[in-house]
Amino acid sequence: SEHASPRKPVTEEAYVASRFLTDPVRLLDASPTCDGGAAVVISSSRQLSQRPGNVFVRIAGSGAATDILAVHQRPEPLHLHAVEKSLAEALRRARLTHDAVDIFELHDAYSIMATLCLESAGFVPAGEGTAFAQDGNIALRGVLPVATFGGLKARGHPVGATGVYQAAEMLLQLHGRAGDNQVRGAEVGVIQNIGGAGASVYTHVLVRE
């Protein structure tokens, strides 16, 4: 991706050779912090969509949820309850189901977070997120494309600006302007941003109209 922060391929050998941050999380499991710039224009007027060349993308539903900050104090440390609740609320407000989602822009600050988000959001059963990804289901032509511009791990993680970056990237997808990263026929995208290892989660459902 031209938007990627690390510009060199990562091999399995390089991953295994990278140092542990805390076992079993390695350096190459972590997203690189970076600078970045993105902007989103939000309007309640449909007149913008009527201008030649404009594609109207509607915020169909939003959801926010919180959880216990300290992961070790949570009843189920491997289930991100705020991810589950915020996505369920966003889909409910959008009057859509999981099956309607064409792209899921999750918050993969670490490799394990991508797996836990897929599972906790309800797209795959608990414990099956890794196998789901290995089977190619999260690729551009997969069942549920994920992090189509590389996500936080490849594109980079500008921390406070990450959520806006996700929105801008999803807009490119729904406009059909994502270039080599384009998901064909994408009409419904979900963006989800996380703070505090799942302590606060914000989810938006964006729909092309």
Side-chain angles (χ1 to χ4, degrees):
S1 169
E2 63 178 323
H3 299 271
S5 181
R7 289 303 182 92
K8 59 183 180 180
V10 176
T11 64
E12 182 177 350
E13 291 74 18
Y15 169 77
V16 172
S18 65
R19 65 181 176 85
F20 282 113
L21 298 179
T22 179
D23 194 6
V25 179
R26 294 181 179 273
L27 178 64
L28 291 182
D29 281 309
S31 58
T33 54
C34 66
D35 294 326
V40 176
V41 177
I42 301 175
S43 173
S44 61
S45 172
R46 288 181 176 267
Q47 292 180 349
L48 291 175
S49 65
Q50 297 171 358
R51 295 180 180 178
N54 278 11
V55 177
F56 182 64
V57 173
R58 176 170 59 91
I59 303 175
S62 299
T66 59
D67 200 354
I68 298 170
L69 178 60
V71 176
H72 68 276
Q73 293 181 350
R74 298 175 188 171
E76 298 178 275
L78 295 181
H79 184 79
L80 304 176
H81 287 277
V83 164
E84 176 188 10
K85 292 176 182 177
S86 67
L87 186 131
E89 177 65 10
L91 287 177
R92 184 190 69 79
R93 290 176 178 271
R95 298 182 181 180
L96 294 172
T97 64
H98 286 74
D99 292 339
V101 178
D102 296 315
I103 307 171
F104 182 29
E105 186 66 32
L106 46 70
H107 188 98
D108 61 329
Y110 294 89
S111 300
I112 190 173
M113 290 299 288
T115 300
L116 296 182
C117 285
L118 281 169
E119 296 173 359
S120 300
F123 288 107
V124 295
E128 298 184 16
T130 301
F132 183 77
Q134 287 177 330
D135 289 341
N137 291 303
I138 65 171
L140 288 177
R141 304 291 178 259
V143 176
L144 182 67
V146 164
T148 59
F149 284 88
L152 280 64
K153 285 190 61 196
R155 175 246 294 140
H157 184 15
V159 193
T162 291
V164 177
Y165 209 150
Q166 289 177 315
E169 289 179 341
M170 189 61 74
L171 197 69
L172 289 176
Q173 284 287 0
L174 299 180
H175 277 184
R177 296 190 290 117
D180 292 339
N181 304 78
Q182 185 65 50
V183 174
R184 298 171 185 168
E187 295 185 353
V188 178
V190 169
I191 57 176
Q192 187 173 76
N193 200 20
I194 295 178
S200 56
V201 182
Y202 306 89
T203 306
H204 304 284
V205 178
L206 305 182
V207 177
R208 173 188 173 119
E209 297 199 337

